Amino acid sequence: MDQEIKKLYLKAKRPSKESAEAMSRVARDITNLDYDPRRETQTAEDSVKKLTQHQHVRVVNSGNSAILSVMSTLKGPILIPDQGGWSGFCKMGNFLGLKIHKITTGLGLIDPELLNQKLQKTSFKALFLTSFAGYIAEQPVKELYQICEENRVLLVEDASGSLGDTTKKLACGKHAHVILASTGSPKIVNVGSGGFFSTNNQDLVKESKEITKTLKPSPLTCAGLSVEIKNASHSFSSTVEGCEFIKKELESVFHRKKRGVNICLPSCNPKKVAYKLRNRINVVGGGMITICPRYERIEQKAVCLEIKNLDVECLNRDNLELLVQIVQEVI
Ligand SMILES: Cc1ncc(COP(=O)(O)O)c(C=O)c1O
């Protein structure tokens, strides 16, 4: 008898009911003459301050807007990883006419010693990186920050994938000059729109003022952010734990020993494997399979399981076991 071909049904991440209600409230209140939308911005910025432990915050309308705001204050070359970063680093930098250099990495991970050598040779203004190389593996942010600090280079951590890290290794103002993030979908703080940056550098906030004013978020986004941010730690920890479970079972995973919110598997034929996986894994309202090489993940033939895209409630043992089984059968 033929073996039964099991399918997995998962749900894409959506903003929580509570943040949808907060956004609806704003949509209702907006017609009241005594309604001040600046209150929403203030509350959102205060909630980010608590999370990242920086003194200054600007909420903007997207993650790329946050990158553009920060980059607009830089007058000199910037450094980014050669893979595992975010494409917006290049796009926003090019738009502003900044010189962009890439540092060689170990499949996305920056070696602190190499960074030190690079910073001593050239006077970069900033290093832009994502907390997780390709959402796959944790950067040694603390060590990189120390080196940037010693060389008077700004470390800008794109923490879209790491907000709410309770270990405080990532997305923590103590070891990043600037933290920025997208709160669009699907992200750890999943409002569906918006972004922000935080810093203790008051000059940076002042110098970016015209841009941040132009890229203001809607009060609905701010209201959603203030509520959704409360779920950050739960969303982050559940996603990391889900990935840890999968990594224990699948030996060939890239960066198996590192924390991450996505899984990346080497593959000789990523297109074919992705096609087969998509046939067996149904994600209602979204998708979770991407193909490499690509700058935002890994510059090698591979298939990614974008665990960060999933509603954390479906990351239960049964689903994870079936996911592993399907991958083992397909790959
Ligand atoms: C790591 C990272 N940074 C920034 C962004 C850009 O965010 P937005 O789409 O809100 O501009 C994204 C979007 O996917 C991202 O993955």
Side-chain angles (χ1 to χ4, degrees):
M1 212 172 74
D2 284 344
Q3 207 190 339
E4 186 198 358
I5 295 181
K6 281 194 189 157
K7 281 202 177 195
L8 177 58
Y9 293 89
L10 301 168
K11 270 197 318 195
K13 198 177 255 177
R14 284 287 179 270
S16 66
K17 258 197 185 145
E18 291 76 15
S19 54
E21 273 159 20
M23 291 191 249
S24 310
R25 173 191 48 82
V26 172
R28 275 196 313 272
D29 288 355
I30 220 154
T31 53
N32 294 345
L33 291 175
D34 61 353
Y35 176 73
D36 183 356
R38 283 175 302 186
R39 268 206 320 257
E40 308 298 344
T41 314
Q42 194 55 56
T43 311
E45 293 185 345
D46 288 347
S47 65
V48 174
K49 272 183 210 169
K50 257 199 213 153
L51 191 73
T52 65
Q53 298 174 315
H54 272 145
Q55 290 159 16
H56 310 288
V57 174
R58 287 294 173 269
V59 180
V60 287
N61 60 13
S62 75
N64 277 341
S65 293
I67 294 168
L68 186 66
S69 305
V70 174
M71 283 188 178
S72 72
T73 67
L74 303 173
K75 290 159 195 74
I78 61 165
L79 195 58
I80 64 171
D82 68 349
Q83 54 185 302
W86 167 241
S87 57
F89 296 161
C90 266
K91 289 180 189 159
M92 298 302 119
N94 286 334
F95 176 73
L96 292 165
L98 294 179
K99 281 223 162 68
I100 302 167
H101 294 243
K102 288 184 177 166
I103 181 167
T104 306
T105 63
L107 297 174
L109 292 180
I110 300 174
D111 172 23
E113 187 46 47
L114 185 66
L115 176 68
N116 199 23
Q117 288 166 18
K118 193 112 182 148
L119 297 188
Q120 299 205 340
K121 268 194 220 143
T122 313
S123 63
F124 291 104
K125 291 293 173 200
L127 167 67
F128 282 73
L129 51 75
T130 50
S131 317
F132 293 108
Y135 285 110
I136 301 163
E138 173 168 18
Q139 294 280 9
V141 173
K142 268 188 187 179
E143 286 159 89
L144 300 176
Y145 171 72
Q146 207 52 48
I147 288 161
C148 286
E149 176 75 4
E150 282 159 17
N151 288 279
R152 296 165 157 263
V153 171
L154 214 60
L155 182 116
V156 183
E157 180 186 356
D158 180 333
S160 303
S162 70
L163 295 173
D165 179 9
T166 48
T167 70
K168 301 282 176 212
K169 287 183 183 159
L170 304 172
C172 175
K174 284 191 190 137
H175 27 259
H177 297 102
V178 180
I179 291 172
L180 60 83
S182 164
T183 55
S185 219
K187 296 290 179 315
I188 296 297
V189 174
N190 195 47
V191 183
S193 61
F196 65 80
F197 71 85
S198 74
T199 183
N200 289 337
N201 183 336
Q202 204 165 8
D203 291 339
L204 190 151
V205 178
K206 273 192 202 148
E207 284 163 33
S208 65
K209 191 173 163 197
E210 289 313 318
I211 303 250
T212 50
K213 265 168 66 183
T214 311
L215 302 172
K216 267 198 319 239
S218 87
L220 272 76
T221 300
C222 291
L225 177 53
S226 308
V227 176
E228 200 65 38
I229 210 165
K230 293 179 191 152
N231 302 329
S233 289
H234 174 61
S235 170
F236 175 79
S237 304
S238 311
T239 311
V240 170
E241 280 164 24
C243 288
E244 266 160 20
F245 181 94
I246 297 167
K247 283 179 185 169
K248 261 195 217 137
E249 306 296 319
L250 299 174
E251 272 179 23
S252 64
V253 168
F254 284 112
H255 296 306
R256 192 163 173 245
K257 299 276 178 236
K258 302 264 181 218
R259 289 196 305 168
V261 290
N262 273 357
I263 299 287
C264 187
L265 296 140
S267 166
C268 303
N269 194 341
K271 261 193 182 170
K272 193 167 151 196
V273 169
Y275 176 80
K276 286 187 182 171
L277 287 173
R278 286 186 190 119
N279 269 340
R280 305 261 320 257
I281 306 166
N282 186 327
V283 183
V284 181
M288 65 167 298
I289 308 295
T290 54
I291 295 173
C292 298
R294 69 172 61 205
Y295 175 74
E296 292 96 335
R297 298 291 180 271
I298 221 164
E299 294 284 21
Q300 285 203 7
K301 281 185 166 184
V303 172
C304 291
L305 309 175
E306 307 268 334
I307 307 300
K308 71 163 181 64
N309 293 6
L310 300 174
D311 181 338
V312 293
E313 298 315 315
C314 57
L315 298 178
N316 54 53
R317 204 184 164 94
D318 286 350
N319 283 340
L320 293 173
E321 278 176 355
L322 183 52
L323 179 59
V324 168
Q325 188 190 326
I326 290 174
V327 172
Q328 282 166 337
E329 285 168 12
V330 162
I331 220 149

